[in-house]
Amino acid sequence: RRNQNSKAVFECLNSEACKGGSYNESSSADDFCSKGHEGPLCAVCSRNVPDPKSDDSHINYYMGSGFVCQPCSGRRGFLKLDSADSIKLLVIFLILLLVLAVAFKKRKAIIDWMDHHAEKYNNGMTSMSILAITYQVSAGNFTTPPSHHHITRSHPYPTP
């Protein structure tokens, strides 16, 4: 429900977020949400939830994959990577480094090739630009605005 007074009931967007239950006068909408979820349709991640393991700390939740709220770790930083993600990131970095090293080593050949093919590239880009502009102009709606239909349809020129 959108609020406590709403009679319309909507299906939860994520079945894991809504635990359900029976309603009584003291129930709030958030009572029907799973841990870490709150708000309309249990689609909002909770903030500053008291930590049951500690009297003086709180837990914040973030929207994880599948619209499931996950507890934030105590770790500060924008990346939280497990070992598999770290290895994937390292492999991508090494491949990028290898490509840059090869490009640096062959920079003279690459520059010569670019100089040799520059005219073909520029002509191709000019043709692509002309096609894109032609498409944009032809796709436009050039009908007269509705406020002027009575003028253009009944009289060729407006009367003073």
Side-chain angles (χ1 to χ4, degrees):
R1 301 178 339 155
R2 292 187 191 270
N3 60 43
Q4 291 174 326
N5 300 324
S6 175
K7 294 188 189 321
V9 178
F10 296 95
E11 184 177 351
C12 198
L13 299 174
N14 175 5
S15 59
E16 290 182 39
C18 300
K19 67 180 181 183
S22 57
Y23 178 78
N24 61 44
E25 292 299 319
S26 64
S27 297
S28 73
D30 294 341
D31 293 338
F32 301 104
C33 298
S34 299
K35 184 177 180 179
H37 296 267
E38 63 184 45
L41 303 177
C42 302
V44 178
C45 293
S46 303
R47 298 178 53 93
N48 293 326
V49 177
D51 188 354
K53 298 177 187 173
S54 172
D55 291 335
D56 60 342
S57 67
H58 292 77
I59 301 173
N60 290 321
Y61 290 82
Y62 70 95
M63 187 64 69
S65 63
F67 301 107
V68 177
C69 294
Q70 304 289 331
C72 295
S73 69
R75 196 176 146 179
R76 301 275 181 200
F78 77 99
L79 285 178
K80 180 184 175 190
L81 301 174
D82 60 7
S83 59
D85 289 337
S86 298
I87 291 171
K88 291 175 190 174
L89 191 59
L90 180 63
V91 167
I92 290 170
F93 177 75
L94 290 175
I95 290 171
L96 181 61
L97 194 60
L98 179 66
V99 168
L100 288 173
V102 169
F104 184 75
K105 186 175 182 180
K106 300 202 176 250
R107 69 185 179 277
K108 176 80 170 115
I110 292 171
I111 291 171
D112 289 344
W113 182 88
M114 287 174 63
D115 287 343
H116 180 71
H117 293 89
E119 188 174 331
K120 291 179 191 175
Y121 174 77
N122 287 337
N123 289 341
M125 288 306 293
T126 302
S127 298
M128 293 298 289
S129 296
I130 291 170
L131 284 173
I133 292 169
T134 303
Y135 172 75
Q136 289 172 350
V137 169
S138 65
N141 185 4
F142 293 109
T143 60
T144 55
S147 62
H148 297 293
H149 277 278
H150 68 281
I151 296 171
T152 56
R153 300 255 189 251
S154 58
H155 304 289
Y157 300 103
T159 56

